[in-house]
Amino acid sequence: MTKTWFRMGMAGIFILSVALRFWGLNRFNTLVFDEVYFAQFGNNYLTRTPFFNAHPPLSQYIIGVGIWIGSHIPFWHDTVNGLTGSLLSPWSYRWANAFTGSFIPLIVILLTYQLSYRRSFALLAGLFTACDGLFLVESRYALSNIYIVIFGLLGQWFLLLALEKQKQRRWLWLVLTGVSFGASVGTKWNGLWFLAGAYGMWIAAWIIRWLQSFSPLTRVPLFSYLYPLNSTTKSQAKTDDITIQTPLQNLTQINIFQMISYLGIIPAIIYILIWIPHLQLDTRYGFIAVHQEILKFHLQLGGNSASVHPYCAAWYKWPLLTRPMAYYYQTTQSIKDPLSVFGPPLPAGAGKVVYDVHAMGNPFLWWFGLAAIIFLIGMLFVKMVLPGIQQKRVFIPKNLGVDTWIALYLVINYAANFLPWVKVNRCVFIYHYMCAVVFVFIAIAWFVDQCLRSYHRELRALGVTITFIIVAAFVFWMPIYLGLPLSLEDYRLRMWFRTWI
């Protein structure tokens, strides 16, 4: 793929993301789901109204800035409401999220390209990210989670750029890495797991380097069919495995002092600075006291059961998408009837038209992606563990290829953003999986790219089929992502399981 086609593909995916996020942005003239907190909090910073914030405040600052800019733009003010404490149009408190969320597929493309320098792989990762429903829904409303993801991904991308630089401006990219990770944590505490993923990769790289010192001399790779799922010969595979480079192979060029300085001290400083405007507004608590109050708040939220919240979903329900949640649900008698800002919905069974905003991922994208993650775990076992078992000695082969490093990167970052939730006892929701599932999108993109690059017709057909199913599924479920009017029959057609409702 040429640079021109690559850039055209990036532009197309970005335009698609922008269009889907801004189309009908003011459709619901009310506060949708947690907009009752984040949109109001953003406005509180503008009106100088003190309040308790149960999360770090960065996302609400950005929403507040968006409200200020939106209120000075003489467009899109046909509908207004006073639910945030000021008379605002829904567009004014949502556009900043839509604009920011539009860049997430683009950043995924840049990050993925930096992993492998494969343009087709990068474009597939960006396309699949743009075809996810949960990311689309979260980007269309004044919510917080897209900021955790975008700052975390920026941190990962800047780290890869720093690794690519051979001591030329590396310090600058490492500073940007620390700033981005600090901003992710400054949005919600679980942004810390992006930073944990970076540390996990760094530690893994040093362990690999140490274990490779026990490796025998050059050897032919085992299971070359896993190699990149094509029909290259063993000698070709061996040559490609050694010569192709990825910035991940330079991780051991970063020493512990640089890690502590750039990925420890700088994120901490950024996190502290983020709190200053809020603490100046709400003087009831100091820096330590406000964190004690936040921790107390989250510990009091109760366990993962429907008695606490009907959409509580424990961590093990996320990968298979067994418990998505409705952010907005309203019914009317006809498509021409207005949607009320206040008041209950029609009595059960009275509505003929359903407006539903469902925070639900693209089911086939998530399911295929989970299978890809499992495949990568198996590949890591074959490439890194099995040789030692067969030779009855502890070592890792020296000829680890780019695909092995990519697999390690995706598995470690997925685990870093997913496994900490196993120990969380409070009520959690499907959107807490967003930081982990973005690596699932890259994993299935890697698998599809390997299939499309194969000499085997069957594998190429498999790659095309998976891509088609993912895109078709996105189109099929798009009405419940965008809150488009549906008949009761069409709505039920998209609710495949009772737990989805």
Side-chain angles (χ1 to χ4, degrees), residues 10 31 92 229 275 383:
M10 289 178 63
L31 296 179
S92 65
L229 290 180
W275 273 100
K383 301 291 287 185

Side-chain angles (χ1 to χ4, degrees), residues 134-422:
L134 182 56
F135 276 73
L136 176 58
V137 170
E138 285 280 336
S139 299
R140 286 175 54 85
Y141 299 97
L143 305 172
S144 188
N145 297 297
I146 62 164
Y147 296 104
I148 315 172
V149 176
I150 197 166
F151 288 126
L153 291 177
L154 280 172
Q156 294 280 352
W157 179 44
F158 290 147
L159 178 59
L160 291 173
L161 289 172
L163 294 172
E164 183 185 50
K165 307 298 179 182
Q166 297 296 327
K167 298 182 180 179
Q168 297 176 358
R169 296 186 179 179
R170 175 173 284 177
W171 66 270
L172 176 60
W173 293 111
L174 287 174
V175 168
L176 292 175
T177 300
V179 170
S180 299
F181 284 139
S184 184
V185 183
T187 303
K188 281 187 178 181
W189 285 348
N190 54 295
L192 184 65
W193 308 135
F194 279 107
L195 183 59
Y199 271 93
M201 272 303 302
W202 180 73
I203 293 170
W206 280 101
I207 293 174
I208 289 171
R209 179 176 175 177
W210 175 62
L211 290 177
Q212 283 179 332
S213 65
F214 304 106
S215 175
L217 296 176
T218 56
R219 49 184 294 278
V220 176
L222 296 169
F223 296 91
S224 58
Y225 66 88
L226 281 175
Y227 193 135
L229 290 180
N230 63 26
S231 60
T232 54
T233 64
K234 290 184 178 181
S235 61
Q236 289 172 327
K238 180 179 174 182
T239 302
D240 291 343
D241 213 26
I242 295 173
T243 56
I244 298 175
Q245 295 296 309
T246 171
L248 296 173
Q249 293 169 319
N250 297 331
L251 273 165
T252 53
Q253 294 178 9
I254 307 295
N255 60 49
I256 188 170
F257 301 105
Q258 291 173 310
M259 291 294 292
I260 292 173
S261 300
Y262 294 115
L263 274 68
I265 296 174
I266 289 179
I269 292 173
I270 295 300
Y271 179 79
I272 293 170
L273 291 175
I274 286 170
W275 273 100
I276 292 176
H278 178 83
L279 296 178
Q280 289 178 333
L281 177 63
D282 185 5
T283 57
R284 292 173 298 171
Y285 306 107
F287 182 77
I288 302 299
V290 75
H291 284 77
Q292 293 173 337
E293 291 297 318
I294 291 174
L295 183 61
K296 185 189 301 183
F297 170 84
H298 289 289
L299 291 176
Q300 292 174 349
L301 286 180
N304 277 304
S305 67
S307 61
V308 177
H309 191 286
Y311 285 112
C312 281
W315 61 274
Y316 53 84
K317 297 181 180 180
W318 301 343
L320 292 177
L321 197 60
T322 59
R323 192 56 174 149
M325 62 191 301
Y327 280 2
Y328 179 89
Y329 182 88
Q330 187 66 270
T331 58
T332 62
Q333 288 283 9
S334 87
I335 195 172
K336 296 182 180 179
D337 291 345
L339 292 166
S340 61
V341 178
F342 300 101
L346 293 172
K352 298 179 181 178
V353 179
V354 174
Y355 294 85
D356 176 41
V357 177
H358 232 65
M360 184 176 82
N362 181 330
F364 286 98
L365 174 59
W366 285 35
W367 296 335
F368 289 156
L370 178 62
I373 286 287
I374 295 172
F375 180 88
L376 290 178
I377 293 172
M379 190 178 98
L380 288 175
F381 176 81
V382 169
K383 301 291 287 185
M384 300 177 65
V385 179
L386 190 58
I389 294 176
Q390 290 179 329
Q391 297 192 28
K392 297 181 180 180
R393 56 187 297 179
V394 178
F395 77 97
I396 289 179
K398 290 184 177 180
N399 57 337
L400 294 181
V402 172
D403 291 303
T404 306
W405 281 99
I406 292 173
L408 188 66
Y409 174 84
L410 294 176
V411 169
I412 287 179
N413 278 281
Y414 176 75
N417 282 278
F418 179 50
L419 294 182
W421 293 102
V422 174

